[in-house]
Amino acid sequence: MTDRKISETTGTAQKDQTPARRPGRPRSAKKGADKRELLLDAALKLFAQYGIAETPLSQIAKEAGVTTAMLHYYFNTREQLLDVMIDERFQPVRAGFTDIFETHADDPLMAITHMAQCMIDAAEKYPWVAPLWVREVISESGMLKKRMEERNGDKNRKVVHESITRWQAEGRLNPDLNPALLFISLFGLTLFPMASMKMRKEGGSLISPDMLRQHVSLLLFNGLGPQKR
């Protein structure tokens, strides 16, 4: 075999052994990584403003200042983009909620209050969390929740539901509370006000996350009745 044929054969073998590019992960260096992060940031911003189902990929490309072809180089479809966002943006936020009900297995009030505080913390740290989740909750499509459950199951929701029903059976929690509505109520107490924080005022000043934390804790621990002295 000639040197040329050996070279061609080796080159072919090397090409065959080259791993396929993972979705959303180009082989380029820092410049490519920066563009990829820019696209994720732009998508999060627009998803929070308009909803996931209502945001076309072309609009994301325009927001990021790249061509639609460039966006498709990183993410072929909206579903692929959403999967990457779930893995890299949503899951790290969700990780802070995972063990709350197991950590406070014998203290329902502490578990529920801690969950509410974590929601406020996440919304303060990541500005897109509150408006995006609020929009997804009221959206008919609800693509984010559906996609996350398709990929990761609904284990966390089941843990919460089972914990609440167990506490009710043990007499630790009001037996008349609806477990599903209780979790929605936490959203209403935390993410809804955080999503509209800039529009809400009290005494001429903006309501702060710290004010909301204190309010939610007092409401959950003491209810609406006057405190007993």
Side-chain angles (χ1 to χ4, degrees):
M1 187 180 291
T2 66
D3 292 342
R4 181 178 178 182
K5 288 185 177 180
I6 292 175
S7 176
E8 290 175 350
T9 303
T10 304
T12 302
Q14 288 175 343
K15 288 181 181 178
D16 292 340
Q17 293 172 6
T18 301
R21 179 172 66 84
R22 292 177 61 189
R25 294 186 181 276
R27 293 189 295 272
S28 56
K30 187 176 184 299
K31 186 176 180 180
D34 289 345
K35 285 185 178 179
R36 183 176 178 278
E37 292 302 303
L38 185 64
L39 285 165
L40 289 175
D41 289 340
L44 276 173
K45 178 183 176 181
L46 294 175
F47 287 168
Q49 287 181 338
Y50 304 109
I52 294 174
E54 292 74 23
T55 304
L57 292 180
S58 59
Q59 188 177 0
I60 296 172
K62 183 178 180 181
E63 177 70 24
V66 303
T67 64
T68 303
M70 176 63 74
L71 184 147
H72 281 293
Y73 172 75
Y74 293 96
F75 311 105
N76 291 326
T77 63
R78 190 205 320 267
E79 288 72 23
Q80 188 184 84
L81 170 61
L82 189 55
D83 286 345
V84 173
M85 293 180 76
I86 288 173
D87 291 340
E88 300 184 15
R89 299 297 179 91
F90 301 139
Q91 290 297 70
V93 175
R94 220 178 162 196
F97 299 80
T98 304
D99 300 327
I100 291 175
F101 279 71
E102 295 174 350
T103 301
H104 301 287
D106 298 321
D107 193 340
L109 193 53
M110 182 60 70
I112 293 169
T113 303
H114 190 186
M115 174 69 78
Q117 298 292 347
C118 283
M119 288 179 176
I120 296 173
D121 291 345
E124 183 179 22
K125 184 175 182 180
Y126 306 101
W128 49 266
V129 164
L132 178 57
W133 273 110
V134 167
R135 185 170 291 279
E136 284 297 295
V137 166
I138 63 177
S139 171
E140 292 184 1
S141 61
M143 286 184 65
L144 177 58
K145 180 176 180 292
K146 181 180 178 181
R147 194 68 176 177
M148 290 184 77
E149 289 194 354
E150 287 175 350
R151 288 171 56 80
N152 306 309
D154 59 350
K155 177 184 176 182
N156 290 341
R157 183 176 61 81
K158 287 181 178 179
V159 168
V160 172
H161 188 278
E162 290 170 359
S163 296
I164 292 173
T165 54
R166 175 173 59 82
W167 288 329
Q168 289 176 317
E170 294 171 350
R172 296 173 183 264
L173 202 61
N174 188 334
D176 295 325
L177 290 173
N178 184 306
L181 291 179
L182 178 59
F183 203 70
I184 293 175
S185 297
L186 289 182
F187 270 79
L189 284 172
T190 58
L191 296 187
F192 277 90
M194 286 296 291
S196 58
M197 187 70 74
K198 293 182 180 180
M199 296 183 291
R200 294 178 179 272
K201 295 185 177 181
E202 181 179 79
S205 61
L206 292 176
I207 295 176
S208 68
D210 285 339
M211 292 170 64
L212 183 61
R213 289 187 187 93
Q214 183 180 24
H215 170 74
V216 170
S217 292
L218 288 172
L219 190 60
L220 291 175
F221 272 96
N222 302 310
L224 296 175
Q227 282 189 286
K228 296 180 180 180
R229 298 183 182 277

